[in-house]
């Protein structure tokens, strides 16, 4: 229940679940060796003609993108977990305050 009566409420467990989902979305690419994928074309006679460095650029781009996304996902996950903790603390404080002053909930 919101202490402000505005009808908004954030469930700390949903925030934690969202934090886990953010990190889980990166799992399919975890451990992908984009450089090795590009190396598979080194022995191909047609590799250079067909790809002309485009696959190498793609792999390098996604290697960096994965690192950046991983850092940002970790940061966002941490912030959601912190927010969940702060909601719980604020709710506990508000509940104690309300009961101490005889207001009840």
């Amino acid at each position: 229940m919101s202490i402000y009566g505005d009808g908004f409420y954030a469930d700390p467990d949903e925030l934690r679940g969202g934090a886990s989902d953010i990190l889980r979305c990166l799992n399919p690419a975890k451990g992908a060796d984009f450089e090795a994928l590009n190396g598979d074309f080194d022995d191909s006679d047609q590799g250079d003609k067909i790809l002309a460095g485009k696959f190498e650029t793609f792999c390098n781009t996604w290697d960096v993108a994965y690192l950046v996304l991983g850092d940002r996902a970790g940061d966002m996950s941490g912030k959601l977990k912190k927010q969940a903790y702060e909601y719980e603390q604020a709710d506990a404080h508000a509940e104690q305050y309300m009961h101490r002053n005889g207001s009840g909930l």
Side-chain angles (χ1 to χ4, degrees), residues 4-62:
Y4 301 109
D6 57 9
F8 293 101
Y9 176 75
D11 183 356
D13 288 332
E14 286 185 31
L15 293 174
R16 285 188 194 92
S20 296
D21 290 346
I22 288 171
L23 295 176
R24 196 173 322 146
C25 77
L26 295 173
N27 283 344
K30 190 180 285 185
D33 188 351
F34 292 106
E35 188 174 337
L37 289 173
N38 184 53
D40 289 343
F41 290 98
D42 287 345
D43 296 331
S44 170
D45 293 337
Q46 300 299 314
D48 288 335
K49 293 177 186 175
I50 296 170
L51 299 174
K54 291 179 183 177
F55 191 68
E56 180 179 8
T57 301
F58 171 82
C59 289
N60 290 339
T61 301
W62 277 102

